[in-house]
Amino acid sequence: MNTLVALCAVGAEKILGNEIKLLGYKLEGNAPGRVVFTGDDDALYRANLCLRTADRVYLQMASYTAQDFDALFDGVYNADWQLYLKKDSRVVVDKVRTHKSRLESEHSVQGMVQKAIYKKLGDVWHITTFPETGAESDVRVYIDQDVVQLLLDLSGLPLHKRGYRADIGAAPLRETTAAALLQMMMWRRKLPLHDPFCGSGTIAIEAALYAYNVAPGFGRRFALENLAVYDVRRAAEIRRQEAEKIRTDVTVRITGSDIDPAAVERARRNAEYACVTAGRALQSVGSDAKVLRPDFTQADFKELSAPYDTGLLLCNPPYGERLGDEHEAEALYKDMACLFTAFPGWEMGVITSHRKFQESIGRYASLLKDIKSGHLDTCFYIYNGTEKAHQRGEHGKRSDRGAGRSGWGGRRAADGTRGRGYESGRRGSSGRRLDRADSRRERDSDDFTF
């Protein structure tokens, strides 16, 4: 069995864990931004091909205690690098993270690990010079309280780069984060979905891939394909198995809109690429069926109305840090209150980094979830019909004062308690309270997330 480590947005670990279990693999543990699991040899390829919320997948080469550089070197040397690397591989230790460990110099650790890998390969293969003309093989090192983890990259480019987004536009939402939001809302394919700020179309496209059960990695390659253990025939069989799981016999109502005609055109192109890739996967198993592209239209969100009695509004609206002026973003959020009236009976999910979102839109979210993807701290606000109107005055001030580590304005759930984290279970279940001690622990861990 292989031990693998899948990275994800901080806050999406439980969702990623559920995905891994659905693939039939055993969870071994998690930490902020990563999930550890075990799987057979097929897991090396299948995890990269199928996981929707993972940003990268690594093979754990070794885990051991090292309090000095001699122990670090010996642990690296003892790993079976010769089974995975090729003689022309170019080994790069691309990132090192140390936390509460005696080995503090990340630069020194980086050099020692690379030296030990090449020493091992040279001794096994009886060579002293490496051509390094082949593909790059990345290694990451994580040292936490003197326990070393050596990880070999199986993904290459981050997995959020599905291969369908030719034109990303401004301030795009990561595909893996969009997939996580869908799971946090517990969205199902029979429920209509609309994104009123579609941008590049990421949310709608990820919803379509999920609804039709299309593996997200069909349109790209992985670093695993450059390693000595890569089995071309077995990979082709896994792709065939996943292609046969694509559903085209389902009714899906996924739409998006944006006031910017250029954004709508980008979304259409990206969706077309994604659906063409799915179509090729179907053709590989002898099917002429098609995956229908989400429908995108140009429209101001203030002019929208609900086409169905129930559904889900899911969006990533502009916010001051990345698009436009902060005051313009607040005015936009205030106008978004009209969506509650225009879409009665619909649930709504909004991801933003703006700390005054609830105050601006005029309603407290039913549930809150902190998500850290990349270098941006965001909060996911979930409105499922149990939220309360925002009350100005002392109530709102207490809410600001009780904000968590990200400083969200109005961090108060519908029951009036201070902000709750959203767990991946049924909506309405109690989430974990984010008190100051939790915030400190999360901040410390975030600093050492890969």
Side-chain angles (χ1 to χ4, degrees):
M1 296 294 284
N2 303 289
T3 299
L4 298 106
V5 179
L7 308 189
C8 63
V10 176
E13 297 84 2
K14 287 191 175 181
I15 291 171
L16 175 56
N18 288 338
E19 276 198 277
I20 292 170
K21 288 190 291 185
L22 286 174
L23 290 181
Y25 305 127
K26 182 181 178 182
L27 299 182
E28 299 294 342
N30 64 62
R34 59 191 180 276
V35 178
V36 182
F37 64 102
T38 53
D40 56 13
D41 290 343
D42 284 356
L44 276 63
Y45 191 83
R46 195 183 300 275
N48 278 287
L49 179 68
C50 298
L51 291 177
R52 301 180 188 278
T53 59
D55 287 318
R56 288 183 183 273
V57 177
Y58 289 91
L59 175 66
Q60 180 175 289
M61 297 296 295
S63 179
Y64 60 96
T65 300
Q67 297 183 349
D68 55 44
F69 283 103
D70 288 340
L72 174 67
F73 184 97
D74 291 342
V76 177
Y77 186 89
N78 290 333
D80 294 324
W81 301 100
Q82 74 279 5
L83 300 180
Y84 299 92
L85 301 175
K86 298 179 180 179
K87 291 185 178 181
D88 63 350
S89 296
R90 183 162 62 92
V91 180
V92 176
V93 181
D94 73 328
K95 187 171 290 187
V96 175
R97 290 289 181 267
T98 65
H99 180 221
K100 296 182 178 178
S101 301
R102 296 190 182 185
L103 296 173
E104 296 181 341
S105 172
E106 296 179 357
H107 180 73
S108 299
V109 169
Q110 183 180 34
M112 184 62 70
V113 169
Q114 189 164 29
K115 179 180 178 180
I117 293 173
Y118 276 119
K119 173 64 174 173
K120 175 61 175 285
L121 296 177
D123 290 349
V124 171
W125 293 333
H126 305 291
I127 58 178
T128 57
T129 302
F130 294 86
E132 295 189 327
T133 56
E136 179 178 307
S137 295
D138 291 339
V139 175
R140 292 198 178 186
V141 184
Y142 177 56
I143 308 177
D144 184 13
Q145 299 184 54
D146 296 328
V147 176
V148 180
Q149 266 190 319
L150 302 176
L151 305 178
L152 179 62
D153 182 24
L154 302 178
S155 300
L157 291 174
L159 293 178
H160 74 264
K161 296 186 177 183
R162 314 285 204 215
Y164 64 72
R165 194 158 66 176
D167 188 349
I168 62 175
L173 179 70
R174 283 187 180 181
E175 290 83 347
T176 48
T177 303
L181 301 184
L182 290 164
Q183 295 303 313
M184 290 179 186
M185 294 299 303
M186 297 183 67
W187 180 74
R188 295 296 178 262
R189 63 171 65 93
K190 66 180 181 180
L191 189 68
L193 182 146
H194 183 78
D195 179 0
F197 302 92
C198 69
S200 298
T202 304
I203 290 175
I205 296 171
E206 288 298 315
L209 295 180
Y210 173 72
Y212 292 111
N213 202 32
V214 179
F218 271 127
R220 54 163 291 164
R221 292 172 53 85
F222 309 107
L224 170 64
E225 298 175 42
N226 300 319
L227 299 179
V229 294
Y230 178 62
D231 186 334
V232 176
R233 292 183 179 179
R234 191 58 201 155
E237 175 61 17
I238 294 172
R239 291 176 69 89
R240 185 193 64 78
Q241 293 172 0
E242 295 304 323
E244 289 180 341
K245 296 177 183 178
I246 297 176
R247 298 281 305 274
T248 58
D249 59 340
V250 294
T251 300
V252 178
R253 294 165 291 183
I254 301 171
T255 55
S257 61
D258 201 290
I259 195 173
D260 182 4
V264 173
E265 186 58 33
R266 282 196 302 270
R268 289 172 177 166
R269 285 198 301 268
N270 293 337
E272 187 65 27
Y273 290 146
C275 292
V276 166
T277 299
R280 289 173 180 164
L282 286 167
Q283 290 175 359
S284 71
V285 292
S287 173
D288 292 328
K290 304 293 183 183
V291 170
L292 298 180
R293 188 191 73 186
D295 187 25
F296 297 98
T297 58
Q298 181 187 357
D300 189 330
F301 73 89
K302 290 177 283 189
E303 300 172 355
L304 299 175
S305 60
Y308 306 100
D309 292 336
T310 59
L312 170 63
L313 288 174
L314 186 60
C315 60
N316 173 38
Y319 37 88
E321 270 187 59
R322 298 186 67 174
L323 290 176
D325 180 79
E326 183 173 347
H327 298 294
E328 291 178 0
E330 291 179 13
L332 173 69
Y333 299 151
K334 183 176 180 180
D335 291 340
M336 282 179 62
C338 70
L339 294 173
F340 293 111
T341 303
F343 288 79
W346 284 50
E347 295 180 287
M348 183 162 71
V350 182
I351 184 170
T352 178
S353 69
H354 201 288
R355 64 188 182 89
K356 293 185 178 180
F357 174 77
Q358 291 183 112
E359 178 182 340
S360 299
I361 201 170
R363 293 199 188 193
Y364 291 113
S366 308
L367 296 166
L368 307 174
K369 179 63 179 178
D370 289 329
I371 300 177
K372 181 180 177 64
S373 182
H375 299 292
L376 190 62
D377 290 322
T378 59
C379 187
F380 187 44
Y381 299 87
I382 298 173
Y383 295 87
N384 59 21
T386 63
E387 63 275 357
K388 293 181 179 180
H390 178 87
Q391 301 295 324
R392 297 186 179 278
E394 183 181 355
H395 186 62
K397 292 179 181 178
R398 286 195 354 246
S399 173
D400 284 345
R401 197 164 54 242
R405 67 179 174 86
S406 299
W408 309 115
R411 276 188 63 84
R412 185 175 297 275
D415 59 2
T417 59
R418 218 171 68 188
R420 293 180 180 270
Y422 176 67
E423 301 294 340
S424 61
R426 299 290 299 177
R427 288 195 300 272
S429 62
S430 61
R432 179 175 64 83
R433 183 176 179 125
L434 293 175
D435 58 22
R436 291 178 180 174
D438 289 328
S439 299
R440 284 195 297 271
R441 284 193 294 270
E442 279 201 353
R443 183 170 60 249
D444 289 343
S445 300
D446 288 355
D447 290 342
F448 299 94
T449 300
F450 296 115

